[in-house]
Amino acid sequence: MDWDPGGLGRGTVSIIKALFRTVVGITFGIASMLALTPAFAAFLDRETNTPSPLIWLVVLLSAVLGFFAPTIRRAFGRGFLLLGLCVLALPISMMMLSGRVSSDMMAGAQEGTEVGTAIGSGIASLAMTGVSAFIGFFLGSILVIVGLVLALGGRREVILRER
């Protein structure tokens, strides 16, 4: 039986469901974009300090995944999967950002302080990447498992009928 509040009609209900699935996709896309912020910050244009327009590609991809999901539950599952993969990629993003910051620090180091700057930026990069790896691994694993349950789960029973 399909959900039909107040006799809206089958077409209107399917449009509302598609709109809700798209909103779910956009919401998870924005969360995924936030998880990938260190990677996008590493690719800032040095002259204008404008972010890459590719940052919105993640939101668009998530909205498309949500729109084409067959059910709202699967839209949530796909959103959790995308967010989990982006959180799992957090250590790589942080490594790219810390490499960019270390490069900028070495370029601005005064003469005679290059060794100290290199050691300090290396230790800071290691700490940032280590913390993001710890958080990214555990939180990303949980999000991927929830996404797999929602996207692939459901009734798994076989009904046999004799003739």
Side-chain angles (χ1 to χ4, degrees), residues 34-116:
L34 289 175
L36 291 176
T37 299
F40 293 124
F43 293 114
L44 275 176
D45 188 17
R46 290 181 191 252
E47 290 83 30
T48 62
N49 276 342
T50 56
S52 171
L54 290 176
I55 197 166
W56 296 105
L57 186 67
V58 176
V59 178
L60 180 66
L61 173 71
S62 182
V64 167
L65 284 174
F67 178 76
F68 286 115
T71 62
I72 294 172
R73 176 185 175 185
R74 304 247 173 160
F76 272 103
R78 291 176 182 185
F80 272 111
L81 278 173
L82 182 67
L83 180 59
L85 292 177
C86 291
V87 170
L88 278 173
L90 187 61
I92 297 169
S93 318
M94 193 60 74
M95 192 182 312
M96 291 189 313
L97 178 63
S98 61
R100 168 80 184 260
V101 170
S102 294
S103 172
D104 289 347
M105 286 178 63
M106 289 302 295
Q110 296 177 0
E111 187 175 329
T113 63
E114 292 91 359
V115 174

